[in-house]
Amino acid sequence: MMARQARRPPAAQAGTPVLPTLGEAFLFWLKLGFISFGGPAGQIAIMQTELVDRRRWISQSRFLHALNYCMLLPGPEAQQLAIYIGWLLHRTIGGIIAGVLFVLPSMFVLWLLSYIYVRFGNVPSIAALFYGLKPAVTAIVVAALVRIGTRALRSAPMWIIASVAFAGIYFFGVPFPLIVLGAALAGLAGGVFLPDAFRNRRDEKAKASVLDDARESPQHTHPTFRRALVITVTCLVLWVTPILLAGLNRGWQSTLFREGVFFSKAAVVTFGGAYAVLPYVAQQAMFHYGWLRPGQMMDGLALAETTPGPLIMVVQFVGFVGAWQHPDGLPPLLAAT
């Protein structure tokens, strides 16, 4: 027994969390991709429980900072949070693994459900299978939201801002960007006039984490102009090339090219989560382009809500069904895929 204890790493003996290997992180992100039900709240709740509370790969304060940062960006904030944490832990490859595995299981599940839908119509038994998971997911979401809220809101002014924001978005339908702007202005004013209430205090009782405020940020997180330029150019090429190839191969008025252009535009206006952009996607897909019928959009939303991954994956259903019904000379399944 004493010999075994002597061979343990000092960090493990002291209870200090150790940086996970890339393989360990890969297995976690793969698992997350299969269990990320419940929309962004459920996905963030799972990451809170697994990454902050259980594995201690990231501290509570850095987790909340990253979440706030991702919520200001267009696109699904839960996936962006996973990408950001994956990148912090294991550089670019870690971010790619986290981001891809976050949606890869849902991509295949939704592809299968979309094919069943266009071949056989809406199958209630399949939707019911996924709906059976919702009670458990709801319990996870509620527990994690309470845990995150009590740790993030540490003064009366913060509770007031949170309450006003909730009332504005829930009861009065105030647009999400205005909610964020108002909260930012309130925080800016509070930092000037009530600095003690708005100061970000470090939790002295918090357990040590791999990524926390007490440790210096990893070297690869320090920004450089060259890296920003390389990443920007690379991502633009990866984004634009398939659209141009579709236009050159199938024509500039083809369904595939027009879907590529449309979803590219939708990608940069998805502030406020999927619910904020879905009315725009539905209106354009049904009434402007004529890819879907009204009932089909509702069926796609129901399927997307019952599968893992971000709700914005419903755009995959829209693209699949739209190309299936307008294949432009291709076999329908090939065009849809």
Side-chain angles (χ1 to χ4, degrees):
M1 177 71 73
M2 293 179 63
R4 289 182 181 177
Q5 289 179 344
R7 286 197 295 268
R8 282 184 189 170
Q13 289 181 7
T16 302
V18 179
L19 178 71
T21 66
L22 186 61
E24 291 171 336
F26 177 90
L27 291 177
F28 169 75
W29 298 122
L30 179 63
K31 169 187 172 183
L32 181 64
F34 280 101
I35 65 173
S36 57
F37 293 91
Q43 293 146 7
I44 293 168
I46 294 172
M47 285 189 278
Q48 162 74 36
T49 301
E50 290 286 333
L51 298 180
V52 178
D53 299 330
R54 195 165 78 84
R55 301 171 190 262
R56 289 158 53 195
W57 288 356
I58 186 170
S59 67
Q60 185 69 69
S61 59
R62 292 201 70 166
F63 182 84
L64 292 174
H65 172 79
L67 175 59
N68 293 335
Y69 176 74
C70 292
M71 291 186 73
L72 296 176
L73 302 175
E77 63 268 24
Q79 184 189 18
Q80 291 165 345
L81 179 61
I83 293 171
Y84 184 64
I85 297 175
W87 171 72
L88 286 176
L89 291 170
H90 296 106
R91 307 172 69 94
T92 302
I93 185 63
I96 292 174
I97 288 174
V100 170
L101 293 182
F102 195 92
V103 296
L104 199 63
S106 65
M107 186 188 79
F108 285 112
V109 171
L110 196 54
W111 180 92
L112 178 61
L113 295 179
S114 300
Y115 175 71
I116 294 173
Y117 177 84
V118 294
R119 283 298 303 269
F120 308 106
N122 195 11
V123 182
S125 59
I126 294 178
L129 176 66
F130 289 100
Y131 269 115
L133 297 170
K134 288 209 165 184
V137 171
T138 301
I140 295 173
V141 172
V142 172
L145 288 178
V146 171
R147 188 160 55 246
I148 294 174
T150 54
R151 294 178 183 179
L153 307 176
R154 298 192 173 187
S155 65
M158 291 184 177
W159 278 101
I160 293 172
I161 292 174
S163 301
V164 172
F166 173 78
I169 201 168
Y170 187 81
F171 294 109
F172 302 104
V174 178
F176 178 77
L178 292 182
I179 296 287
V180 173
L181 178 61
L185 293 176
L188 183 63
V192 175
F193 299 105
L194 296 170
D196 290 337
F198 283 82
R199 184 177 295 121
N200 185 19
R201 301 182 181 88
R202 183 180 299 173
D203 188 355
E204 301 298 338
K205 297 180 180 180
K207 296 180 180 179
S209 302
V210 174
L211 300 168
D212 60 26
D213 296 334
R215 306 187 187 196
E216 187 176 351
S217 297
Q219 182 63 34
H220 68 273
T221 65
H222 299 168
T224 65
F225 176 79
R226 179 181 177 277
R227 188 182 68 191
L229 182 63
V230 169
I231 291 175
T232 301
V233 172
T234 301
C235 291
L236 285 175
V237 170
L238 291 173
W239 188 350
V240 173
T241 300
I243 303 174
L244 293 179
L245 291 177
L248 290 170
N249 185 261
R250 306 307 306 172
W252 305 111
Q253 296 300 316
S254 66
T255 301
L256 292 181
F257 175 75
R258 298 176 81 189
E259 283 188 347
V261 172
F262 168 67
F263 289 122
S264 294
K265 292 190 294 184
V268 297
V269 298
T270 52
F271 292 96
Y275 287 111
V277 77
L278 282 179
Y280 168 71
V281 171
Q283 192 270 339
Q284 294 291 308
M286 290 187 295
F287 303 115
H288 180 73
Y289 294 103
W291 294 329
L292 274 69
R293 297 184 294 274
Q296 291 178 324
M297 185 67 195
M298 295 303 298
D299 292 338
L301 183 60
L303 290 177
E305 281 189 319
T306 55
T307 57
L311 180 59
I312 199 63
M313 290 296 289
V314 70
V315 300
Q316 178 182 317
F317 175 87
V318 174
F320 186 100
V321 176
W324 176 280
Q325 296 178 157
H326 304 85
D328 294 328
L330 291 173
L333 183 58
L334 176 62
T337 303

